[in-house]
Amino acid sequence: MSYELDQIAAQNDNFASVVDNLTGENGELALQNVSLTEELEAQGEVLNLISSPTVQAVTLPGTPEQPGAEGRIIIDPEKNVALLVVDGMSELAADEVYQVLLIRDTDHETADTFKVDTAGQGVLLVQSDVPLSDFTQIGVSIEPIGGSEQRTGDVIIVGEL
């Protein structure tokens, strides 16, 4: 009888271990699901943007700080979202990021931050609280990690909207 109880206890421990593993895997899958859902929503926004009949593409040339850098913004002026594609950007220090500047005459608002890959390329879905037609220019500056409320670093690319 004691032998049978030991077997049952061992099986119970085994089942508990299996349940723990499955619970951990379930948590990981839930995180992956959230990430994939966010990615799918972003792709849907991009598709809506590029299929708009009023979409425009604006070139953002490099400044003297990075003359080889360039960008292109795919924008529907009446929407609050645009797609920024950059190339030729320098890799930044670990404590720096690129930050989008939405410029209105002499004033500006800072927007999303991003990094580029080792080839100097990057893609970012730019979000604004107001239609992008409210701005006259868009640019990208170098800022501390986490971004800045006001521009503190060099402007790398800039162009008219």
Side-chain angles (χ1 to χ4, degrees), residues 135-147:
F135 301 98
T136 56
Q137 293 180 307
I138 189 166
V140 173
S141 64
I142 298 174
E143 301 299 335
I145 196 99

Side-chain angles (χ1 to χ4, degrees), residues 92-118:
L92 298 175
D95 62 345
E96 294 177 318
V97 292
Y98 287 109
Q99 186 165 17
V100 176
L101 306 172
L102 300 172
I103 304 165
R104 221 185 255 116
D105 301 318
T106 59
D107 189 26
H108 72 274
E109 294 179 18
T110 55
D112 304 299
T113 63
F114 65 99
K115 293 256 188 183
V116 295
D117 64 17
T118 56

Side-chain angles (χ1 to χ4, degrees), residues 34-91:
V34 168
S35 178
L36 289 171
T37 299
E38 290 171 353
E39 188 176 320
L40 186 60
E41 288 171 356
Q43 289 176 357
E45 286 188 58
V46 169
L47 285 172
N48 286 337
L49 176 67
I50 61 176
S51 64
S52 170
T54 57
V55 71
Q56 302 170 9
V58 177
T59 299
L60 310 172
T63 64
E65 285 74 16
Q66 284 190 31
E70 66 178 354
R72 184 172 287 285
I73 189 98
I74 311 300
I75 180 173
D76 181 337
E78 300 309 314
K79 295 195 178 190
N80 298 25
V81 65
L83 183 67
L84 175 65
V85 180
V86 297
D87 190 23
M89 308 279 275
S90 298
E91 280 191 81

Side-chain angles (χ1 to χ4, degrees), residues 8-42:
I8 291 171
Q11 286 178 343
N12 191 38
D13 289 345
N14 203 16
F15 287 142
S17 176
V18 168
V19 168
D20 286 345
N21 287 340
L22 290 173
T23 301
E25 288 177 21
N26 188 44
E28 290 174 18
L29 289 172
L31 290 174
Q32 286 177 350
N33 189 33
V34 168
S35 178
L36 289 171
T37 299
E38 290 171 353
E39 188 176 320
L40 186 60
E41 288 171 356

